[in-house]
Amino acid sequence: MSAGALVYVVDDDPDFGASLARLLRRSGYRAEPFSAPASLLAAYPTAPSSCVITDVMMGDSSGFDFAEDLRRLDPNVGLIFMTGWPSTSAAVDAIRRFGGLDYLEKPLDEQRLLQAVAEAVRWSIDRRDRHGRLATLTPREQQVFALLVRGYASKEIARELAISPRTVEDHRAQIAAKTGARTLAAMIALSQGRSVEP
């Protein structure tokens, strides 16, 4: 699933970034290094990726500030942070505040890096699939879906939206057909970004 996925490496040490990109290419990824976050942000809209690996401290730039800018462009990209100066508080921020999937210490353990990249690519593909499925819903179907996953029964949804229970059931059937989520459990999993079993 992850073979050939595009991965960007952002590090202000161009030699390190290029070396990491070569490692990723040898492992089957399409990888490109950037020595400045601004350069990647400028190029990103025309070539979004599945995974971005970024240093936390890059001269005057912060990998965390970069992550916020990148998330605004693409909330579905898998982010991995790396640093030569690890700290517990930065690790917590990387994951909780900035949506990183991993926080790696330099010098990097190649096996752990490749595992993290594979996980980030899978996460990104799943997120894009989820958003693609939900994007097919009409505005009314999105309203019904939102109430279903909050635990509302069909009659309660009908009252809430001022439509008939039969219409709610019709919308529910359309939601199931469009998203592949045929049970309430599958719909909840879809709403939470987890894999949906057909």
Side-chain angles (χ1 to χ4, degrees), residues 79-96:
L79 269 173
I80 297 171
F81 293 100
M82 57 184 173
T83 183
W85 307 94
S87 73
T88 302
S89 62
V92 170
D93 284 348
I95 306 303
R96 290 190 182 167

Side-chain angles (χ1 to χ4, degrees), residues 80-138:
I80 297 171
F81 293 100
M82 57 184 173
T83 183
W85 307 94
S87 73
T88 302
S89 62
V92 170
D93 284 348
I95 306 303
R96 290 190 182 167
R97 287 187 57 201
F98 300 103
L101 298 176
D102 212 334
Y103 178 83
L104 306 176
E105 182 177 345
K106 293 178 178 178
L108 300 176
D109 176 302
E110 289 186 6
Q111 196 56 42
R112 181 171 173 197
L113 170 71
L114 293 174
Q115 288 172 349
V117 170
E119 178 187 333
V121 169
R122 281 193 302 272
W123 181 89
S124 179
I125 290 169
D126 287 346
R127 290 268 302 191
R128 292 186 202 289
D129 175 65
R130 170 184 175 252
H131 280 107
R133 291 184 197 204
L134 294 178
T136 65
L137 302 182
T138 66

Side-chain angles (χ1 to χ4, degrees), residues 29-112:
Y29 297 101
R30 292 180 297 130
E32 295 297 331
F34 287 82
S35 57
S39 300
L40 175 53
L41 291 171
Y44 197 87
T46 57
S49 70
S50 297
C51 175
V52 172
I53 306 166
T54 181
D55 198 2
V56 172
M57 293 188 294
M58 297 176 280
D60 295 335
S61 300
S62 157
F64 292 151
D65 291 341
F66 163 65
E68 288 189 314
D69 292 338
L70 182 62
R71 280 270 178 248
R72 281 192 282 274
L73 283 175
D74 184 2
N76 300 318
V77 62
L79 269 173
I80 297 171
F81 293 100
M82 57 184 173
T83 183
W85 307 94
S87 73
T88 302
S89 62
V92 170
D93 284 348
I95 306 303
R96 290 190 182 167
R97 287 187 57 201
F98 300 103
L101 298 176
D102 212 334
Y103 178 83
L104 306 176
E105 182 177 345
K106 293 178 178 178
L108 300 176
D109 176 302
E110 289 186 6
Q111 196 56 42
R112 181 171 173 197

